Amino acid sequence: MGHFNTQNVTKFDTSETQPVDLISASDDEIETGEIKESRDVNIPVDHALYSMFWQMQNFFSNPVICFDKQQWDVFQKNSTVVLGVFSSYKLEKSGADDDDNGKERVMDSADMGSLIDETDTYFAKYLTNPKLLQLQLNDSQFRRYFLIQFIILCQYITSKTKQRNTSLSDDQTKFVNESQEKCYRLLRETHPKGGHFAESVKHILQRELEWAEWKSESCPNMADLADKQPMQPYKKRPRTTFDPSVIDIGTAELTKLWSIEPDLLSACRNERRRFTPSLADFLRDPIDELDPEQQ
């Protein structure tokens, strides 16, 4: 932790533009054959929100600038507005988010190889056209990208490392922790599989935090960190002794059925168990149905 790709600059339009509202466009503006997405949320996008959203990439690519007083004010203002928009305009779950009807498909090595092309690997860049922001905010995957970046930033600036001499104040730490919890909550509410995705991200970043703290402490021996106290003996459960006089078939109902008759063999020979009907009784109903007078 501490090496950042500061050359990865996200360029966006800094000129003042009119508010963009693509989703609420009239039906006349929709081209022939184009299907209007009714499940998209009509998020009002203006130049202020556009600038605040893409300015956050400067903090994601170089989190150290958050310790500057002036930059912190910008970060706090922008993050409050952007996360507020995410919380106010939540995406609805569509029919395509049913997780393949509850069936998980396991990809084999051949499927993975078809998706990965090592000769065509590059770092993707965001499309920052102002007309695209409203559509991007309606994309669940795009929201996940932003929220994960925000969580990684929060984890870095609140972590305890020897290589960094700067730290946040109590109010700043409180704001970062609350923003991080809000990001996890938004991830859980983002389909598909929001809860599982959020817990997976939290687990991975917790492992990364422990690994970074271990390296910050000059990689101490793991054996020295182990608990040296002897294992406490656990309390054994009392053993139940077998009593042949007590009948226990396994459940109360089975035991009740077993205990109806003391002599099971004589109960099986009981005359009441002979319920085989005679031939005349067996054919009485079909004969009555064939009789015209009975109709």
Side-chain angles (χ1 to χ4, degrees), residues 212-257:
E213 291 178 350
W214 178 73
K215 292 192 294 183
S216 177
E217 297 294 334
S218 301
C219 306
N221 189 359
M222 290 294 184
D224 298 337
L225 302 178
D227 191 1
K228 300 298 183 180
Q229 296 182 358
M231 181 181 297
Q232 298 293 333
Y234 61 92
K235 185 178 180 180
K236 296 183 179 180
R237 293 181 298 176
R239 298 182 61 182
T240 57
T241 58
F242 174 71
D243 187 0
S245 62
V246 178
I247 299 177
D248 186 6
I249 306 302
T251 63
E253 292 298 328
L254 289 177
T255 303
K256 180 180 178 181
L257 291 174

Side-chain angles (χ1 to χ4, degrees), residues 52-239:
M52 291 180 181
F53 182 85
W54 290 117
Q55 283 176 3
M56 294 296 296
Q57 295 298 323
N58 298 332
F59 300 98
F60 295 157
S61 61
N62 189 15
V64 180
I65 62 177
C66 292
F67 297 104
D68 182 75
K69 179 62 173 62
Q70 184 177 1
Q71 294 294 335
W72 169 262
D73 295 337
V74 177
F75 167 75
Q76 186 175 13
K77 177 183 177 181
N78 293 357
S79 58
T80 302
V81 172
V82 174
L83 294 181
V85 171
F86 280 19
S87 301
S88 301
Y89 300 92
K90 299 179 181 179
L91 302 181
E92 298 180 358
K93 184 177 181 180
S94 64
D97 297 337
D98 292 337
D99 305 332
D100 296 333
N101 297 325
K103 299 180 180 179
E104 295 185 359
R105 179 176 180 269
V106 180
M107 300 184 64
D108 53 16
S109 57
D111 295 334
M112 293 297 295
S114 62
L115 296 178
I116 301 175
D117 186 2
E118 297 181 356
T119 61
D120 190 18
T121 302
Y122 63 95
F123 290 101
K125 299 289 291 184
Y126 285 118
L127 300 177
T128 59
N129 191 308
K131 296 182 179 180
L132 296 177
L133 182 58
Q134 193 176 61
L135 298 176
Q136 290 169 330
L137 295 180
N138 278 283
D139 185 2
S140 60
Q141 299 297 332
F142 183 84
R143 287 197 178 194
R144 282 179 172 177
Y145 300 153
F146 179 86
L147 293 174
I148 292 176
Q149 285 183 297
F150 200 105
I151 292 173
I152 294 175
L153 168 65
C154 293
Q155 178 167 297
Y156 172 76
I157 61 180
T158 56
S159 61
K160 308 297 182 181
T161 57
K162 291 183 178 181
Q163 290 79 6
R164 193 178 65 230
N165 298 325
T166 56
S167 60
L168 300 177
S169 63
D170 295 339
D171 294 338
Q172 292 174 337
T173 303
K174 180 181 178 181
F175 173 79
V176 172
N177 292 334
E178 292 177 352
S179 300
Q180 188 175 18
E181 289 300 323
K182 183 181 294 185
C183 289
Y184 278 118
R185 177 174 55 81
L186 292 172
L187 280 179
R188 296 186 187 97
E189 297 173 353
T190 303
H191 301 285
K193 296 183 178 180
H196 177 72
F197 184 84
E199 292 303 321
S200 300
V201 171
K202 192 172 186 178
H203 177 72
I204 293 173
L205 293 182
Q206 179 61 31
R207 292 288 300 270
E208 175 64 22
L209 178 61
E210 295 175 358
W211 178 254
E213 291 178 350
W214 178 73
K215 292 192 294 183
S216 177
E217 297 294 334
S218 301
C219 306
N221 189 359
M222 290 294 184
D224 298 337
L225 302 178
D227 191 1
K228 300 298 183 180
Q229 296 182 358
M231 181 181 297
Q232 298 293 333
Y234 61 92
K235 185 178 180 180
K236 296 183 179 180
R237 293 181 298 176
R239 298 182 61 182

